[in-house]
Amino acid sequence: MERRGGVAAWCEALPLLRRLAAAQGRADEVAELTRRMRTDSSAVTQLDELGRQFGIPGVGPRSVIGVPGVTPGVPDDGLFVCPSGRCDRDWVRAPGVATPECHLFEEPLARATPDRRPR
């Protein structure tokens, strides 16, 4: 799995993994891997294995088919991205919906700017 995509996928899945780990007394293990993943993409492989141990069959980045030669635009209501630029996670704001949190850095996703767009 591509590392930035793997980081993004685990960012979205961390709340589930944390709940499962806490129920089995392994919250510290997930916390340590989360800290490592902030700077070391190789932790994704260990999170994949840990996820399988907890019954999460697989976590992966979304498949997006682009149009060759056309860069994606930013929706009028906002595109939000990883606040640290660490991964490829992106999210489009729906009316009345709060911006989700980056579960890796524990802060809201940041509004995308021309210099901070995913992919």
Side-chain angles (χ1 to χ4, degrees):
M1 173 185 307
E2 195 274 329
R3 294 292 184 207
R4 287 179 55 88
V7 173
W10 273 113
C11 178
E12 292 188 72
L14 275 174
L16 171 62
L17 185 62
R18 285 177 175 143
R19 283 192 306 274
L20 294 171
Q24 294 187 26
R26 295 176 68 185
D28 290 344
E29 191 175 349
V30 172
E32 176 57 30
L33 284 173
T34 300
R35 280 190 292 277
R36 279 196 42 227
M37 196 167 64
R38 291 176 182 166
T39 57
D40 179 7
S41 300
S42 69
V44 169
T45 303
Q46 290 174 293
L47 279 170
D48 289 339
E49 177 56 34
L50 191 60
R52 281 190 289 277
Q53 291 174 21
F54 290 128
I56 301 172
V59 173
R62 294 175 291 181
S63 174
V64 178
I65 299 174
V67 178
V70 178
T71 58
V74 176
D76 289 339
D77 51 358
L79 177 66
F80 291 79
V81 296
C82 176
S84 71
R86 180 86 176 96
C87 74
D88 291 336
R89 184 174 178 197
D90 60 8
W91 182 81
V92 177
R93 180 189 296 266
V97 176
T99 303
E101 181 177 279
C102 167
H103 301 292
L104 184 59
F105 288 94
E106 299 176 346
E107 58 186 76
L109 295 181
R111 187 177 289 275
T113 60
D115 61 321
R116 288 194 63 202
R117 288 200 183 151
R119 298 181 198 93

